């Protein structure tokens, strides 16, 4: 009975260990680490993108303002508002100067857009990786929950079995066993007497001790004089 109890406790220890060391824990940590790294990478890219996009927007707004100015001047020029040829020439030259400024700005906008492109591609790439990472994380968390639930079912079954066994073994024996197990650990709390050797520490027990142990009533527990394990005989 003690051997069975010990086996159940060993299984419980193994289950707890398996629960704590499920591979999903490590995998989740890795995916989360990757997520942090991608987030930092994205922050860096976004700083560049923000500056470039701002510069594009500012230039586009300026171009819009110049276009409005040109339209206004052109309509004044050809709408008959300006009658003096000298004023007309001056206005014509102003329109040309604004157009040149507009052309410069438009070239700059194209340049800025070309600068934006690789960063935008990088941004999209990082977002794609993050989305894959997010899915992987959800899958792993599901797998982990399933694996944990399976172990919990097993733990409950073993605990039920152990409770029944405890009832059969009686309080005194279980208390003795528990005390030994706390002191010695799962594998060595109980030893089977093999010939004149203890199954827990494998040491030989003296003939006198063996004789004394064999004389004990069968319901009285005996301990190995060498290691203290409960001897099954
Ligand atoms: Zn022993």
């Amino acid at each position: 009975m003690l051997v069975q109890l010990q086996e159940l406790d060993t299984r419980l220890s193994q289950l707890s260990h398996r629960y704590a060391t499920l591979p999903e824990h490590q995998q989740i940590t890795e995916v989360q680490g990757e997520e942090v790294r991608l987030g930092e990478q994205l922050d860096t890219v976004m700083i560049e993108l923000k500056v470039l996009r701002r510069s594009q927007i500012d230039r586009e707004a300026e171009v819009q303002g110049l276009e409005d100015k040109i339209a206004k001047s052109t309509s004044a020029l050809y709408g008959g508002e300006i009658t003096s040829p000298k004023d007309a020439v001056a206005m014509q030259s102003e329109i040309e100067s604004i157009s040149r400024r507009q052309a410069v700005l438009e070239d700059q906008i194209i340049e800025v857009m070309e600068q934006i492109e690789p960063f935008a591609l990088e941004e999209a790439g990082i977002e794609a990786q993050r989305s894959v990472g997010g899915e992987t994380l959800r899958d792993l968390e599901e797998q982990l929950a399933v694996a944990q639930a399976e172990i919990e079912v097993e733990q409950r079954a073993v605990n039920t079995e152990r409770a029944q066994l405890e009832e059969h073994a009686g309080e005194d024996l279980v208390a003795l066993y528990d005390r030994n197990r706390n002191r010695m650990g799962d594998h060595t709390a109980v030893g089977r007497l093999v010939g004149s050797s203890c199954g827990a520490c494998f040491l030989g027990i003296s003939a006198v001790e063996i004789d004394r142990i064999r004389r004990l009533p069968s319901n009285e527990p005996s301990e190995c004089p060498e290691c203290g394990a409960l001897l099954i005989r």
Side-chain angles (χ1 to χ4, degrees), residues 98-126:
I98 293 172
S99 294
R100 277 194 298 279
R101 171 72 187 144
Q102 187 186 343
V104 168
L105 282 171
E106 279 168 350
D107 284 347
Q108 286 176 348
I109 289 170
I110 289 168
E111 262 174 55
V112 171
M113 285 167 81
E114 281 168 358
Q115 283 177 292
I116 286 175
E117 207 187 335
F119 288 113
L121 279 175
E122 206 177 333
E123 182 198 7
I126 293 169

Side-chain angles (χ1 to χ4, degrees), residues 117-170:
E117 207 187 335
F119 288 113
L121 279 175
E122 206 177 333
E123 182 198 7
I126 293 169
E127 290 292 9
Q129 282 185 67
R130 285 179 94 182
S131 131
V132 170
E135 273 172 43
T136 308
L137 193 60
R138 277 190 296 281
D139 287 349
L140 282 171
E141 277 165 352
E142 261 176 49
Q143 282 175 36
L144 179 66
V146 169
Q148 284 178 334
E150 278 171 10
I151 293 173
E152 281 161 10
V153 166
E154 251 184 284
Q155 281 171 330
R156 274 195 294 276
V158 175
N159 275 319
T160 306
E161 211 180 317
R162 194 189 190 281
Q164 287 164 353
L165 205 58
E166 269 192 30
E167 224 172 282
H168 283 294

Side-chain angles (χ1 to χ4, degrees), residues 198-203 205 224-229 231:
C198 162
C201 66
F202 305 110
L203 291 173
I205 298 168
C224 165
E226 301 297 334
C227 72
L231 284 172

